[in-house]
Amino acid sequence: MFFQKDIETMPREELKKLQLEKLKYIAKYCYDNVALYKRKFDEAGFDPSKIKTLSDIQYIPYTTKADFRDNYPFGMFAVPVKDVVRLHASSGTTGKPTVVGYTKNDIDMWSDCMARLVVAAGASDEDIVQISFGYGLFTGALGLHYGLEKIGATVVPCSSGNTEKQVMLMKDFGTTALVSTPSYALRIGEVAQEMGVSRDELKLRLGLFGSEGCTAEMRKQVEDYLGVMATDNYGMSELIGPGVSGECTYRNGMHFNEDHFLPEIINPETGEVLPEGEKGELVITTLSKEALPVLRYRTKDITSLTYEKCECGRTHCRMAKPTGRSDDMLKIRGVNVFPSQIESVIMNIPQIAPHYQLVVTRAGTSDRLEVKCELVDAAVLESLGALSNLQKTIHHNLQTVLGIDTKVTLVEPKSLERFQGKAKRVIDLRNQ
């Protein structure tokens, strides 16, 4: 079953014509309505009315995460805030969130995109779907929620946490599909075993996973634990949230919603556009968004694209699972964490020296982040009260900025390694 077969199986030449028409419109729309793009275009000497072919996109300047940071909170919006019906946000590199907005039409388009992808993955109106993403400013939960409701599925908005209750509801409700991060799906499987609930007692058959990477090995573990077919979907808040691309039941790459998102692959160091099939940094232009249109957004994700027709019949291009990122971002329990975020917290605490170390480990199926902070004055170690208060302060500040729980360890002055060259702040022990 296709959700929008006429679009999803459109011949590529027709799809390219549609993309070109939309690219011409969105480039002019951005120039006319977003001060950032007017400035970028003028500085580059680029006239959006001169776009004649899809390849002319190469003359449009890139958009980066820094643009969102510099225009916080609403500076990149193309419509007045009164026309925005929803705001979401994700953590930014300086502790300020990346704010994204949606008009009513944006929400409808987002729901369509997500509906297509969940149908492609095998979901239907017969499914009872448990959403175990955290609800709130995070785009993941509501993105899937609206798409699943659109196809007529029964949605159980559990949010994340309280895992024993998650298992109980799965069993009692007859949940057939699970939305979560792959790592939390593993945790659910572990807790089910601890509770004495075998996978045969559950009716789960489909996993709609996202928000973090999923290796083939992790996918197999999830499938073994829960008895599901695990599928991946891709997106990010700056673009829309989930709904950019996702796997079909053949699981041979993630289908792009190419009528709404135009992808390119570039060399992350030179910015040069790479030929079809080559691996590089994914760059995406939104073709349909009203509140927050984004041109040539550098995602930092390393992947490749194929334009061959899929066995499922869909003609939109497919992206390979990202193999990494072109910067130093960490992914902890589905949350993007930048060392610079942590540094900004530490630098604002007088008792802490400008030296720190991040240790990432995995306990069972859950990632753990330890932040080692070096004291300026060893005398703090002599007062348990002062030490505890300082530790609590750092812990609270980190949680506020990162949105996740961390372990904070205070160490003696001058005990952390110094560097003559580039500092190595991160010790990732997850694969050891």
Side-chain angles (χ1 to χ4, degrees):
M1 179 179 74
F2 291 90
F3 181 69
Q4 292 176 328
K5 186 175 180 178
D6 57 333
I7 296 291
E8 295 178 82
T9 61
M10 181 181 285
R12 285 216 60 84
E13 286 307 310
E14 288 184 32
L15 182 57
K16 287 180 180 179
K17 289 179 182 177
L18 177 61
Q19 289 176 324
L20 178 57
E21 180 184 331
K22 286 192 162 191
L23 178 62
K24 289 178 178 179
Y25 173 81
I26 204 69
K28 181 69 162 55
Y29 178 74
C30 286
Y31 183 80
D32 290 341
N33 294 284
V34 183
L36 170 74
Y37 287 119
K38 185 179 190 309
R39 176 178 58 78
K40 280 178 177 277
F41 283 16
D42 289 345
E43 289 176 353
F46 176 74
D47 181 352
S49 66
K50 301 296 185 184
I51 294 176
K52 302 300 181 187
T53 67
L54 281 177
S55 63
D56 288 339
I57 195 173
Q58 66 184 301
Y59 304 114
I60 296 177
Y62 291 115
T63 306
T64 67
K65 189 92 168 182
D67 291 319
F68 282 84
R69 179 191 67 214
D70 295 343
N71 290 278
Y72 172 87
F74 307 138
M76 290 183 66
F77 286 10
V79 299
V81 176
K82 71 178 181 62
D83 293 335
V84 173
V85 300
R86 174 96 62 80
L87 292 172
H88 280 284
S90 65
S91 184
T93 56
T94 62
K96 290 285 189 181
T98 297
V99 179
V100 293
Y102 306 80
T103 63
K104 176 64 169 61
N105 288 337
D106 289 336
I107 294 291
D108 290 342
M109 182 269 287
W110 188 14
S111 301
D112 277 359
C113 286
M114 204 63 251
R116 287 183 195 172
L117 297 183
V118 297
V119 167
S124 77
D125 57 2
E126 299 289 332
D127 280 302
I128 298 174
V129 187
Q130 194 157 315
I131 298 183
S132 299
F133 274 147
Y135 279 74
L137 290 176
F138 172 56
T139 56
L142 284 171
L144 271 294
H145 185 126
Y146 273 55
L148 286 159
E149 283 190 343
K150 191 150 198 168
I151 70 165
T154 302
V155 175
V156 184
C158 271
S159 197
S160 55
N162 201 344
T163 309
E164 289 189 1
K165 186 175 182 181
Q166 300 261 4
V167 174
M168 179 192 76
L169 294 179
M170 278 182 186
K171 184 179 177 182
D172 294 347
F173 289 0
T175 300
T176 58
L178 172 66
V179 172
S180 72
T181 62
S183 58
Y184 190 53
L186 279 177
R187 179 60 185 155
I188 290 172
E190 288 178 342
V191 171
Q193 286 188 351
E194 293 168 3
M195 294 171 64
V197 177
S198 72
R199 75 180 206 178
D200 294 334
E201 296 178 72
L202 303 175
K203 293 184 179 179
L204 283 175
R205 65 173 191 85
L206 177 63
L208 299 166
F209 302 130
S211 189
E212 67 182 13
C214 182
T215 63
E217 293 78 13
M218 178 178 280
R219 169 179 274 181
K220 185 176 184 306
Q221 285 187 47
V222 171
E223 292 181 333
D224 288 345
Y225 264 122
L226 295 175
V228 298
M229 182 185 77
T231 64
D232 285 343
N233 57 76
Y234 175 85
M236 53 180 54
S237 297
E238 295 92 323
L239 301 171
I240 197 168
V244 174
S245 67
E247 288 182 307
C248 69
T249 53
Y250 287 91
R251 299 191 297 182
N252 189 23
M254 288 183 271
H255 291 269
F256 249 83
N257 281 314
E258 265 194 285
D259 54 324
H260 297 303
F261 303 96
L262 181 60
E264 304 170 81
I265 298 293
I266 67 168
N267 181 317
E269 295 186 3
T270 66
E272 172 195 6
V273 178
L274 298 178
E276 178 182 331
E278 289 199 27
K279 182 182 287 188
E281 181 183 344
L282 179 64
V283 171
I284 299 177
T285 294
T286 65
L287 295 175
S288 308
K289 287 180 67 183
E290 292 179 339
L292 182 62
V294 182
L295 303 178
R296 305 194 82 198
Y297 184 69
R298 295 191 59 164
T299 69
K300 301 295 185 180
D301 287 315
I302 304 300
T303 184
S304 60
L305 300 173
T306 178
Y307 289 82
E308 295 179 359
K309 184 177 180 179
C310 181
E311 290 178 80
C312 72
R314 292 174 176 83
T315 55
H316 293 208
C317 75
R318 286 165 285 146
M319 63 178 278
K321 284 187 180 185
T323 57
R325 293 183 61 83
S326 58
D327 59 12
D328 59 355
M329 186 191 79
L330 296 169
K331 198 96 166 182
I332 309 294
R333 299 191 294 280
V335 176
N336 296 344
V337 176
F338 291 83
S340 57
Q341 290 176 284
I342 296 170
E343 183 172 292
S344 69
V345 171
I346 293 172
M347 296 297 177
N348 285 314
I349 299 176
Q351 301 97 318
I352 299 300
H355 305 287
Y356 61 95
Q357 189 177 77
L358 312 181
V359 182
V360 187
T361 56
R362 180 164 289 147
T365 59
S366 182
D367 292 339
R368 296 284 184 266
L369 174 62
E370 178 184 10
V371 181
K372 293 185 177 181
C373 305
E374 190 175 284
L375 293 165
V376 172
D377 186 357
V380 178
L381 294 167
E382 298 173 7
S383 170
L384 289 178
L387 196 65
S388 177
N389 289 337
L390 179 57
Q391 196 171 33
K392 287 177 181 177
T393 297
I394 299 171
H395 179 272
H396 170 77
N397 292 353
L398 287 172
Q399 191 166 43
T400 299
V401 170
L402 304 179
I404 61 170
D405 190 54
T406 60
K407 177 183 178 182
V408 175
T409 302
L410 302 179
V411 301
E412 293 182 351
K414 300 183 180 179
S415 61
L416 292 180
E417 184 179 358
R418 269 46 171 176
F419 302 90
Q420 294 182 351
K422 186 176 180 179
K424 188 178 187 310
R425 301 291 192 194
V426 181
I427 300 175
D428 195 336
L429 304 176
R430 285 177 289 189
N431 296 319
Q432 296 187 12

